[in-house]
C-alpha cells in the first residue's frame, strides 16, 4: 500500500456501504499508544452495517492497559492481545471482543496534528471465526503517559498532479552500470503519465516508517533447517497455486490486490486446486469500511474485512480502477477469512525466518516495502535499491504491497531472493513478477508481512 502506505495507506472512517472522501493522516508510533486507555462503548447487539461515523451514547467503559510487546490487560486482570496497525491505529482483543479504531487527528490547512492519545470512532464486536456479531461503536482515550500532539505539514500535490513522466535513458544506463544483480529498462506505458499517477500506483505520497525486523531466535533457526532451500507456489508438484497477475492502473489499490491474491492462492491450496476464485478488488475499493478506496489501505485490515464482511467474486463487481459507489448488495456469495495476523504475531515481530516458515506451511503472504524510483525501471533479476536518483522525475519514497509466492537463491552468485507477484500487469518485470534481495530486509520487505486463512465454502 501501505505505504501513503501500501498504495495509499491513508485511511478513513465511514458508514458501511457509504464512501466518504476524507484522509486520516495521523502518524502515531508504538510508544505513543502503549499505556493505559479508557474504552467508551455504545449499545451492542448490532450487525456489521452499524454506522459509527456519528456520535453515539456511551453505555459502558473499560480500562485497558496496552503493555509491551503485545499484551493487553483490563482493570479486572483479564489478559488479551493488541497490535499497532502501521502508524494509523491499533486493534485490541480481550474478553472475547475485538476493538479497532484509527488514531485521531485535527487538520488546519496543510498542518495536521496527530492526537495519539485518542481514537476516532471505531468498532467493537465479538470474537468469531468469521462474520462476528454483537457490533457496537466505541472510542478510546489514553489516561496515562499522554504524549504531546505531533504536528506535520502535508506536501502540496499541485506540481506532481501536472508534471509528466519523462523517460530517462541516462538513469536506466546508470542503474545497469553500477550493479549486475538486476536489469533496468524503459517502459513505454509511462509516457504521458503524471508523476502523481505513478506514485498512486505504488503507494501515494505519504512515507511511513517501517519497523525493524525482529531477531531470529535459536528455535527459529532450528525450524529453518527443516525448510527447503527454494520454494515457489507457482510450481509445487507440477501445479500452479497462484492466481493470474492483474493490473491495478493508477488507482492506489495494491493493498487490496495483494491481500485478495493471498486469499485466492490459499483457497487453491486448501482445496487442492479444485477452487480457483478471483475476488473483487473493486468491492474493497468501493465498499470496505477499513480503507480509503483508490487512496489506499492496509493488508492487515483487508484481511480483517474478509473475516468481518467476506469477499465477493470478481464477476459480481468487476474492477474499474476508480472510486465508485458500493454495489456489493447484489453479491450474496461471500468468501470469509479468519486468523488474520502479522507474521511474528504483532506489528514489529516479523523476520525472514518466520516469513519463510509461514509461506511454505500455509501459502503466499502479503509483504510491503519501500518504493524507490529505480524500481520503476526493473526488467529482470534480483532487485535491490541502487541508491541512484532519477533527477528528471522526482519521486518521494513511498510504500507498496505485493504477494510473496516463493524464495530461492541465484545458482551462480548465491544471492538470496524473494519471488513476488506485483499488480502492474504481465508486461512489467518478469511476466508481472519480480525478485528482490532476501535476508537483508531490502527496502524493509521483511518487516510487516501479513497472513490469513480462508474459510472454505461448502
Amino acid at each position: 500500500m501501505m505505504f501513503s502506505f501500501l498504495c495509499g495507506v491513508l485511511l478513513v472512517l465511514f458508514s458501511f456501504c457509504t464512501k466518504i472522501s476524507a484522509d486520516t493522516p495521523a502518524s502515531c508510533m508504538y510508544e505513543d499508544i502503549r499505556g493505559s486507555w479508557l474504552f467508551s462503548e455504545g449499545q451492542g447487539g448490532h450487525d456489521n452495517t452499524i454506522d459509527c461515523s456519528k456520535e453515539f451514547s456511551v453505555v459502558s467503559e473499560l480500562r485497558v492497559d496496552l503493555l509491551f510487546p503485545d499484551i493487553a490487560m483490563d482493570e479486572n486482570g483479564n489478559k488479551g492481545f493488541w497490535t499497532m496497525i502501521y502508524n494509523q491505529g491499533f486493534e485490541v482483543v480481550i474478553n472475547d471482543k475485538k476493538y479497532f479504531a484509527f488514531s485521531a487527528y485535527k487538520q488546519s490547512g496543510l498542518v495536521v496534528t496527530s492526537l495519539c492519545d485518542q481514537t476516532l470512532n471505531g468498532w467493537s464486536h465479538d470474537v468469531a471465526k468469521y462474520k462476528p456479531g454483537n457490533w457496537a461503536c466505541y472510542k478510546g482515550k489514553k489516561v496515562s503517559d499522554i504524549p504531546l500532539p505531533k504536528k506535520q505539514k502535508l506536501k502540496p500535490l499541485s506540481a506532481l498532479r501536472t508534471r509528466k513522466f519523462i523517460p530517462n535513458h541516462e538513469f536506466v544506463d546508470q542503474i545497469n552500470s553500477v550493479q549486475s544483480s538486476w536489469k533496468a529498462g524503459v517502459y513505454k506505458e509511462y509516457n504521458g503519465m503524471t508523476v502523481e499517477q505513478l506514485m498512486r500506483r505504488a503507494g501515494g505520497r505519504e512515507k511511513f516508517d517501517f519497523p525493524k525486523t525482529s531477531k531470529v531466535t535459536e528455535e527459529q533457526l532450528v525450524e529453518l533447517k527443516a525448510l527447503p532451500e527454494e520454494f515457489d507456489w507457482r510450481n509445487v508438484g507440477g501445479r500452479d497455486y497462484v492466481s493470474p497477475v492483474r493490473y491495478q492502473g493508477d488507482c492506489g489499490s495494491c493493498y487490496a490486490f495483494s491481500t485478495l491474491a493471498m486469499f485466492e492462492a490459499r483457497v487453491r491450496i486448501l482445496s487442492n486446486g479444485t477452487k480457483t476464485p478471483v475476488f473483487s478488488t473493486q468491492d474493497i475499493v468501493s465498499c470496505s469500511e477499513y480503507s480509503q478506496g483508490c487512496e489506499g489501505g492496509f493488508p492487515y485490515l483487508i484481511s480483517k474485512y474478509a473475516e468481518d464482511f467476506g469477499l465477493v467474486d470478481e464477476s459480481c463487481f468487476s474492477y474499474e480502477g476508480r472510486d465508485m459507489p458500493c454495489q456489493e448488495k447484489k453479491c450474496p456469495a461471500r468468501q470469509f477469512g479468519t486468523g488474520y495476523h502479522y507474521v511474528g504475531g504483532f506489528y514489529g515481530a516479523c523476520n525472514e525466518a518466520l516469513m519463510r516458515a509461514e509461506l511454505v506451511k500455509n501459502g503466499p503472504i502479503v509483504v510491503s516495502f519501500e518504493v524507490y524510483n529505480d524500481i520503476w525501471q526493473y526488467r529482470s533479476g534480483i532487485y535491490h535499491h541502487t541508491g541512484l536518483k532519477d533527477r528528471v522525475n522526482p519521486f518521494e519514497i513511498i510504500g507498496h504491497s505485493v504477494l510473496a509466492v516463493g524464495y530461492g537463491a541465484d545458482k551462480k552468485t548465491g544471492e538470496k531472493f524473494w519471488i513476488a507477484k506485483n499488480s502492474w500487469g504481465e508486461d512489467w518485470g518478469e511476466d508481472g513478477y519480480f525478485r528482490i534481495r532476501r535476508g537483508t530486509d531490502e527496502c524493509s520487505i521483511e518487516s510487516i508481512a501479513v497472513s490469513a486463512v480462508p474459510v472454505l465454502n461448502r
Side-chain angles (χ1 to χ4, degrees):
M1 116 21 241
M2 92 309 254
F3 240 166
S4 214
F5 184 78
L6 303 187
C7 304
V9 299
L10 297 179
L11 298 144
V12 65
L13 294 175
F14 53 90
S15 61
F16 185 58
C17 294
T18 303
K19 215 56 189 88
I20 295 177
S21 179
D23 296 348
T24 61
S27 179
C28 300
M29 300 295 104
Y30 181 90
E31 290 301 327
D32 298 327
I33 303 301
R34 189 177 70 169
S36 184
W37 286 76
L38 184 66
F39 289 175
S40 300
E41 192 172 11
Q43 184 64 49
H46 299 275
D47 62 18
N48 61 11
T49 63
I50 187 173
D51 180 1
C52 294
S53 63
K54 303 174 183 177
E55 289 304 310
F56 58 89
S57 298
V58 175
V59 299
S60 64
E61 293 184 328
L62 178 69
R63 182 158 176 157
V64 180
D65 292 334
L66 305 182
L67 308 173
F68 177 86
D70 61 343
I71 297 172
M73 190 81 70
D74 74 7
E75 57 200 18
N76 298 313
N78 298 308
K79 189 176 179 181
F81 163 84
W82 77 284
T83 182
M84 292 284 294
I85 301 173
Y86 307 103
N87 63 355
Q88 295 281 288
F90 58 93
E91 183 172 56
V92 178
V93 184
I94 195 167
N95 298 331
D96 294 322
K97 294 193 74 173
K98 289 188 178 183
Y99 299 84
F100 162 67
F102 296 112
S103 295
Y105 69 96
K106 63 181 180 180
Q107 184 170 348
S108 178
L110 291 177
V111 177
V112 174
T113 302
S114 298
L115 305 175
C116 299
D117 62 330
Q118 54 193 283
T119 72
L120 299 175
N121 289 353
W123 303 266
S124 68
H125 56 68
D126 289 344
V127 172
K129 187 174 181 181
Y130 64 93
K131 201 175 182 180
N134 193 26
W135 287 64
C137 301
Y138 100 98
K139 56 186 175 182
K141 174 70 177 179
K142 194 173 185 182
V143 294
S144 67
D145 296 327
I146 298 175
L148 296 174
K150 294 182 176 182
K151 292 185 178 181
Q152 61 186 39
K153 192 169 183 178
L154 292 180
K155 298 178 180 180
L157 278 179
S158 56
L160 290 180
R161 284 197 176 102
T162 58
R163 183 160 183 166
K164 298 289 186 180
F165 179 87
I166 302 172
N168 188 348
H169 294 271
E170 181 180 351
F171 181 52
V172 170
D173 291 341
Q174 285 181 317
I175 293 172
N176 290 329
S177 67
V178 299
Q179 51 80 44
S180 58
S181 292
W182 61 281
K183 296 295 183 183
V186 173
Y187 285 90
K188 292 182 179 179
E189 73 167 284
Y190 297 162
N191 291 345
M193 296 181 69
T194 64
V195 173
E196 184 193 0
Q197 285 177 306
L198 283 175
M199 289 179 67
R200 280 169 61 90
R201 180 181 297 192
R205 62 182 176 120
E206 295 295 322
K207 181 183 183 301
F208 283 72
D209 294 323
F210 287 69
K212 300 294 184 182
T213 58
S214 65
K215 292 183 178 180
V216 179
T217 65
E218 291 296 327
E219 182 180 355
Q220 291 166 8
L221 285 174
V222 172
E223 187 175 17
L224 273 180
K225 293 179 180 179
L227 296 176
E229 290 297 317
E230 58 182 33
F231 194 87
D232 188 345
W233 278 109
R234 295 174 300 175
N235 184 9
V236 176
R239 175 171 285 176
D240 185 352
Y241 290 94
V242 183
S243 56
V245 171
R246 301 183 66 189
Y247 179 67
Q248 71 182 77
D250 59 3
C251 171
S253 52
C254 63
Y255 68 97
F257 275 102
S258 56
T259 308
L260 298 192
M262 174 182 65
F263 278 99
E264 291 161 0
R266 291 188 170 203
V267 167
R268 285 163 167 77
I269 294 166
L270 289 174
S271 69
N272 197 29
T274 60
K275 297 179 183 292
T276 58
V278 175
F279 296 119
S280 170
T281 311
Q282 192 64 49
D283 175 66
I284 303 299
V285 170
S286 295
C287 308
S288 169
E289 296 227 35
Y290 304 146
S291 57
Q292 198 198 348
C294 284
E295 295 303 316
F298 301 89
Y300 181 93
L301 291 181
I302 301 310
S303 298
K304 175 179 173 63
Y305 179 87
E307 180 172 292
D308 292 350
F309 299 95
L311 309 175
V312 301
D313 195 79
E314 170 69 15
S315 62
C316 187
F317 196 1
S318 298
Y319 187 62
E320 296 283 343
R322 59 186 176 90
D323 290 313
M324 58 186 294
C326 178
Q327 302 175 18
E328 67 176 3
K329 288 185 177 180
K330 69 175 185 177
C331 306
R334 293 187 176 275
Q335 170 67 61
F336 285 90
T338 190
Y340 62 91
H341 65 280
Y342 290 113
V343 173
F346 58 92
Y347 182 74
C350 190
N351 61 40
E352 185 256 359
L354 291 169
M355 289 169 62
R356 284 178 60 194
E358 174 66 26
L359 187 149
V360 171
K361 291 179 179 179
N362 298 314
I365 55 178
V366 186
V367 295
S368 303
F369 65 101
E370 293 174 314
V371 172
Y372 295 87
N373 54 10
D374 56 0
I375 198 171
W376 295 109
Q377 321 300 332
Y378 173 88
R379 284 289 187 182
S380 63
I382 303 172
Y383 172 79
H384 65 272
H385 176 43
T386 60
L388 299 173
K389 292 183 179 180
D390 184 350
R391 302 189 182 281
V392 176
N393 301 289
F395 287 93
E396 298 170 20
I397 302 173
I398 46 183
H400 187 47
S401 175
V402 295
L403 184 74
V405 304
Y407 61 85
D410 187 274
K411 298 189 184 305
K412 293 182 179 180
T413 66
E415 187 174 17
K416 298 177 181 179
F417 58 79
W418 294 106
I419 306 167
K421 173 187 173 185
N422 206 346
S423 51
W424 295 348
E426 294 181 347
D427 293 333
W428 184 87
E430 298 178 330
D431 299 322
Y433 289 79
F434 69 103
R435 288 173 290 162
I436 183 171
R437 186 179 287 169
R438 173 171 62 91
T440 60
D441 196 25
E442 180 65 41
C443 299
S444 300
I445 199 168
E446 292 160 0
S447 63
I448 44 175
V450 171
S451 172
V453 181
V455 178
L456 286 190
N457 298 326
R458 295 181 180 178

